[in-house]
C-alpha cells in the first residue's frame, strides 16, 4: 500500500497481548492460544499468535491501513482463505499502547508485561530441559 510506515511507534506497539476472553471461548483459544506477540523482523512490524498452528506462530506482517491513524493495520490472511483482518491498537491517556482490537472477530487482546510472555517461559523451560539432558549424558559417559 502507499500508506507510510511509522517505525517510531513500533517500540511502544511491540510486546505480548493476552486475549480478553472467557476461558471457555474456544475461538480465542484456538486462534491465539497464549496470546499474540507484536515484534519487528527485518524492518517490518509483525504479529505472531502464540498457538500450536505453525503458520500463525511464524508471524505475519502488519500493513498500515489508515493514512490518518498510524495505529490501524491490516493483516493479510488470504493464504488461509480468510481474506484480510483490520487490527487497531488502542492507547491509554498517556499514549501507550494497551490493547489490540480485531475487527470482525469481536475480540480484543490486552498488553501484558514482557515478563509474563508465555513464549519466554516455554523457551526458558526448553533451555533448562536441554541443559539437564546434557548433564545426564555427561554423567553417563563418566561412569
Amino acid at each position: 500500500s502507499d500508506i507510510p510506515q511509522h517505525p517510531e511507534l513500533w517500540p511502544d506497539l511491540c510486546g505480548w497481548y493476552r486475549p480478553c476472553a472467557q476461558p471457555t471461548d474456544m475461538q480465542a483459544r484456538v486462534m491465539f492460544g497464549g496470546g499474540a506477540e507484536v515484534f519487528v523482523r527485518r524492518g517490518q512490524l509483525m504479529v505472531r499468535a502464540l498457538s500450536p498452528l505453525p503458520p500463525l506462530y511464524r508471524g505475519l506482517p502488519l500493513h498500515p491501513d489508515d493514512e490518518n491513524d498510524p495505529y490501524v493495520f491490516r493483516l493479510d490472511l488470504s493464504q488461509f482463505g480468510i481474506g484480510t483482518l483490520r487490527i487497531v491498537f488502542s492507547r491509554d491517556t498517556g499514549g501507550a499502547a494497551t490493547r489490540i482490537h480485531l475487527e470482525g472477530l469481536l475480540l480484543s487482546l490486552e498488553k501484558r508485561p514482557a515478563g509474563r510472555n508465555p513464549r519466554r517461559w516455554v523457551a526458558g523451560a526448553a533451555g533448562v530441559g536441554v541443559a539437564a539432558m546434557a548433564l545426564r549424558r555427561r554423567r553417563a559417559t563418566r561412569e
Side-chain angles (χ1 to χ4, degrees):
S1 90
D2 295 337
I3 301 171
Q5 298 275 358
H6 289 276
E8 69 277 8
L9 302 176
W10 294 354
D12 180 48
L13 300 179
C14 288
W16 174 61
Y17 294 80
R18 176 186 71 160
C20 299
Q22 297 294 326
T24 56
D25 185 346
M26 293 310 294
Q27 177 185 0
R29 299 293 169 227
V30 168
M31 284 186 67
F32 294 101
E37 184 176 24
V38 176
F39 62 101
V40 176
R41 179 191 295 151
R42 293 185 212 109
Q44 174 69 52
L45 190 64
M46 309 278 289
V47 63
R48 84 171 96 219
L50 302 180
S51 84
L53 304 173
L56 296 178
Y57 182 76
R58 280 191 285 273
L60 299 165
L62 288 170
H63 304 284
D65 196 46
D66 186 334
E67 48 187 77
N68 297 318
D69 188 347
Y71 293 93
V72 178
F73 295 87
R74 183 137 322 255
L75 185 61
D76 182 6
L77 300 171
S78 58
Q79 65 182 338
F80 307 111
I82 299 172
T84 63
L85 178 68
R86 198 168 202 199
I87 294 179
V88 179
F89 288 84
S90 62
R91 297 164 291 166
D92 62 16
T93 55
T98 58
R99 288 182 185 247
I100 296 174
H101 305 281
L102 305 171
E103 183 178 86
L105 292 180
L106 301 176
L107 181 64
S108 294
L109 296 102
E110 179 181 35
K111 192 169 189 181
R112 306 298 292 164
R116 296 185 66 186
N117 185 334
R119 184 181 60 80
R120 294 181 183 189
W121 287 92
V122 170
V128 169
V130 168
M133 287 176 20
L135 279 173
R136 276 192 219 144
R137 286 185 185 159
R138 192 172 184 185
R139 287 181 184 165
T141 58
R142 287 184 181 177
E143 292 176 0

